[in-house]
Amino acid sequence: MKTKHQERTRAQESTNAIERLYISMRHLFSRGFYKPMGVSGETLRKSLLLLRPEIYGSIAEDRVELNGLIYVIERLPEGIEECQFINLTADEGYNKTHFKVIIPPKRRRNCYRIDKDQMNIEITRGRSEIYDILTHLTFLFIESHKIKERILINLEGSITREWRNLEEVVLHNKNISEEEREVTKVHLANILGRTYDEVADAYNAFTSSENVDRFFQIIYWLGKLAISETCHQQKRTINFSSVLREEIGHHIYGDIWANTIKKVLKDNDLLKRPIHIISANMHSVLNTIYATSSLTEEVKGKKGFELYELLSNNDSKPLQKKVKEYASKKGLTYIKDTSGTNINVQVIDTKKIDIADTQFKKVVSEEKAPVIIVMDYAFGEQAYETMDELLKPYKEKKNTTHLNVASISIMGKAGILEGGKGDIMIPSAHIFEGTADNYPFTNQLTKEDLEGFGVRSFDGAMVTVLGTSLQNKDLLKFFHDSTWNVIGLEMEGAHYQKAIQAASKIRGNISEDVKVRYAYYASDNPLETGATLASGGLGMSGVTPTYAITNKILEQIFNS
């Protein structure tokens, strides 16, 4: 009997590629070092090219991917394209040296340029941060070799005329006129296999007041290091420090972070009160509670969320300061992170709030007045570490105090698979990608709660992914169209829920009756071409869903 050969679908291939990426990255981390464009990095490269994530656009084509390049460079330290050696380290004391800290615009991580060839990146947020960096670097190096293929004439190092022109501009820091700049852009368009318009747009995206020609420099150094790898065997190398390899997975930073919060609760006599934890940004809860009463003049004539739109404006720093100063006198304690988790915290004693000045009219006895802990966004697996540590009892000498955690609310940005930017997702379960793990729960927020704000809302399961930069349409379409009925994707939900379920159902650290709320607003739709994260941020369209969700969370807390 002839065996029927079943062709694998693109979704199955993609799932397999993600699993291989995940296993490869953990193996390379255990090994301690590898060369991304050498034999050791081959599985990573092949898996990424097979996967072809939406965020990396035309990674599998000959032409250089510019939107993906912008996305990646914003999440890596400035100057990394010039470095042959990239070291991933724990917090090992570089902040006490003369090295200047470099923080990427779109990722909170401390990086240090050790010398012209070496960049050190501190990892304090768990394995997800390692996966994030390694996939971005793999993309970057694949693109650099595409540039090399278009400029290298032979293995002796002969290069094209266009590349010599770019080298002169970058290496000699030549002051060029606008006409010469346009000539260089034309040459770059030929090198990158892109139109002049596309190159001009990318040039503008990288331009800053401090460095006008940064785009030229990035392209030059990517190509230069790829030529060195091919012609002179000077391979780029990624190292993992021995301290990082020993520390990862041991909750070292999360433990310090959580104990700092509990100490503040103890010092302010808040440990025994009902505690409501909210994972969100550092402005929406603050503004929802305090903005109206602190900005009495500005609020006049403002309807709906117009006041919050005003506060979200980059020019509103004085108003934001005014709200914070008022809040600090009315029960808000700000805990700036010093542990390395990069998660700042606000503790709000609602007993000190003038409830009559807010939209929340419920009055409870002083001993039952809620204490709200607002923690900034965690990153991937770090969500488990921080929530697990926060829900543990507070131990001081011989005393052990269990926290009276009444509710945990998770609000964040996520990719949506049905709808568009700014729409709201209310999950009923989290599915952990690449495993059979699934976490159903009773969500205190419903789709109906979020109607009437002028944005659409959807409910269903959500998938917690290894990295948003590892998703492609085929895989997401499978999740959406199959009986999984997935409405969106994010990076922390399953990790939070794993910690909450362990603390409440198994370990007895908090009450079994803890109320859980999850709601996400859409930052992008990866199923729509041109609507991925690489297409830009939410801007003002994020204000309505953010404050609608915050409003409903606080309403339920104050009315509990």
Side-chain angles (χ1 to χ4, degrees), residues 68-323:
L69 185 65
I70 294 165
Y71 179 85
V72 164
I73 290 290
E74 286 179 333
R75 285 154 179 80
L76 293 172
E78 187 171 348
I80 197 163
E81 67 280 357
E82 300 173 27
C83 297
Q84 184 186 345
F85 303 99
I86 295 161
N87 288 7
L88 304 192
T89 72
D91 181 356
E92 298 175 25
Y94 296 110
N95 58 335
K96 300 184 185 78
T97 65
H98 71 280
F99 298 116
K100 183 187 168 192
V101 64
I102 306 167
I103 300 172
K106 296 287 178 74
R107 281 282 185 267
R108 289 169 300 184
R109 53 174 68 117
N110 294 339
C111 311
Y112 302 90
R113 182 79 178 263
I114 305 303
D115 56 34
K116 70 181 181 65
D117 294 319
Q118 183 179 329
M119 180 73 76
N120 282 18
I121 303 175
E122 272 184 10
I123 306 292
T124 56
R125 307 181 77 182
R127 287 192 187 93
S128 293
E129 193 166 19
I130 295 173
Y131 308 150
D132 187 59
I133 290 167
L134 294 190
T135 48
H136 288 340
L137 288 174
T138 304
F139 163 81
L140 205 61
F141 297 161
I142 288 171
E143 296 301 306
S144 76
H145 274 252
K146 285 190 204 172
I147 296 167
K148 180 261 301 178
E149 290 297 328
R150 301 180 77 98
I151 56 167
L152 191 62
I153 296 169
N154 55 43
L155 291 178
E156 280 70 55
S158 302
I159 51 175
T160 61
R161 183 179 67 88
E162 292 98 335
W163 190 252
R164 278 198 297 275
N165 171 270
L166 182 66
E167 188 169 58
E168 206 171 295
V169 169
V170 173
L171 280 192
H172 302 125
N173 287 321
K174 192 175 165 190
N175 279 326
I176 54 175
S177 65
E178 204 51 52
E179 288 77 14
E180 288 172 308
R181 192 167 279 118
E182 285 184 356
V183 169
T184 306
K185 287 178 194 173
V186 170
H187 290 328
L188 265 189
N190 191 34
I191 290 167
L192 304 177
R194 290 286 179 178
T195 66
Y196 176 83
D197 280 343
E198 288 171 324
V199 168
D201 288 344
Y203 176 89
N204 293 335
F206 283 112
T207 296
S208 65
S209 51
E210 303 86 46
N211 192 348
V212 179
D213 293 326
R214 185 161 180 234
F215 181 58
F216 294 163
Q217 292 157 15
I218 288 167
I219 298 299
Y220 173 73
W221 285 107
L222 286 176
K224 172 92 166 82
L225 265 63
I227 291 170
S228 296
E229 284 190 313
T230 303
C231 299
H232 311 297
Q233 298 305 305
Q234 293 176 353
K235 299 284 186 191
R236 283 172 281 200
T237 307
I238 294 174
N239 290 289
F240 305 93
S241 79
S242 54
V243 177
L244 176 66
R245 288 158 67 204
E246 284 165 19
E247 283 189 0
I248 208 83
H250 293 299
H251 292 202
I252 288 166
Y253 303 103
D255 181 40
I256 298 166
W257 173 83
N259 278 325
T260 304
I261 298 165
K262 291 168 198 170
K263 178 83 167 57
V264 169
L265 293 175
K266 169 94 171 26
D267 293 346
N268 289 277
D269 200 25
L270 302 174
L271 266 181
K272 300 285 178 68
R273 297 252 298 277
I275 292 169
H276 298 264
I277 299 166
I278 304 175
S279 170
N281 52 59
M282 287 282 98
H283 59 80
S284 56
V285 175
L286 168 79
N287 289 341
T288 303
I289 294 175
Y290 296 106
T292 310
S293 41
S294 59
L295 303 174
T296 46
E297 285 303 310
E298 290 80 4
V299 81
K300 286 174 184 171
K302 297 277 188 299
K303 294 176 187 172
F305 296 149
E306 285 178 3
L307 179 64
Y308 306 136
E309 284 183 10
L310 177 66
L311 282 164
S312 301
N313 197 307
N314 287 333
D315 302 327
S316 295
K317 295 279 189 290
L319 293 182
Q320 293 164 14
K321 189 181 176 195
K322 194 174 175 183
V323 175

Side-chain angles (χ1 to χ4, degrees), residues 15 414-419 424-435 437-441 457-465 471-491 494 520 522 524-527:
T15 301
I416 197 166
L417 303 182
E418 192 177 327
I424 292 172
M425 290 156 277
I426 308 291
S428 54
H430 283 107
I431 302 153
F432 190 26
E433 180 184 54
T435 70
D437 300 355
N438 51 80
Y439 301 89
F441 53 87
S457 53
F458 302 88
D459 56 6
M462 290 191 71
V463 63
T464 297
V465 299
Q471 305 314 303
N472 70 18
K473 281 184 183 176
D474 304 289
L475 188 57
L476 297 175
K477 201 166 184 314
F478 163 75
F479 273 126
H480 181 252
D481 295 347
S482 69
T483 50
W484 284 112
N485 187 31
V486 167
I487 54 168
L489 63 145
E490 47 74 58
M491 281 184 65
Y520 300 93
D524 65 301
N525 184 336
L527 288 180

